[in-house]
Amino acid sequence: QVQLVESGGGLVQAGGSLRLSCVASGSITMLGSMAWYRQTPGEGRDMVATNTIGGSTVYGGSVGGRFTISRDDVKKSVSLQINNLAPEDTAVYYCNADVTYWSNRRYNTGNFWGQGTQVTVAS
């Protein structure tokens, strides 16, 4: 079917940068909106950045201009550049995408999540 696989998380010092990547695979015919969310223990998932199929971007209120989302529809990928990391950015970051895919002899649409990648920022 469809899989989203994130990479690029890790342990960084405060003030550093990371680039998270997410690659979609499967019988994908079209990618719609692609987004990044983050989640800390005991909390829900918060949207940090969304890139729509038309190219518009929306950022969550907590990211303060430090996050940049970009997509490559040829590579079926979406990336998140995070600069000037702070300890409060520590979270599991998830990729999310609206996908049209071929299965069971027809086109299907669905919303998919990746497995998450851990970002830990040390002060």
Side-chain angles (χ1 to χ4, degrees), residues 40-61:
T40 54
E43 301 291 330
R45 292 185 186 181
D46 292 326
M47 189 277 290
V48 294
T50 299
N51 185 291
T52 69
I53 190 171
S56 300
T57 55
V58 179
Y59 293 96

Side-chain angles (χ1 to χ4, degrees), residues 13-119:
Q13 295 294 316
S17 298
L18 275 179
R19 186 174 182 85
L20 307 181
S21 295
C22 171
V23 178
S25 63
S27 301
I28 297 169
T29 57
M30 188 175 71
L31 288 168
S33 293
M34 303 185 80
W36 288 93
Y37 287 71
R38 67 184 180 186
Q39 185 174 26
T40 54
E43 301 291 330
R45 292 185 186 181
D46 292 326
M47 189 277 290
V48 294
T50 299
N51 185 291
T52 69
I53 190 171
S56 300
T57 55
V58 179
Y59 293 96
S62 63
V63 305
R66 299 177 294 115
F67 290 33
T68 303
I69 188 172
S70 59
R71 64 190 284 166
D72 185 329
D73 286 346
V74 174
K75 295 181 179 179
K76 297 186 178 64
S77 67
V78 62
S79 297
L80 185 69
Q81 177 71 36
I82 314 173
N83 297 324
N84 194 21
L85 280 153
E88 52 266 34
D89 294 320
T90 295
V92 179
Y93 285 72
Y94 294 91
C95 175
N96 177 270
D98 293 325
V99 181
T100 301
Y101 60 99
W102 181 256
S103 178
N104 295 327
R105 303 181 187 179
R106 63 185 179 93
Y107 292 104
N108 304 266
T109 58
N111 183 265
F112 294 87
W113 292 92
Q115 83 286 353
T117 186
Q118 176 71 48
V119 172

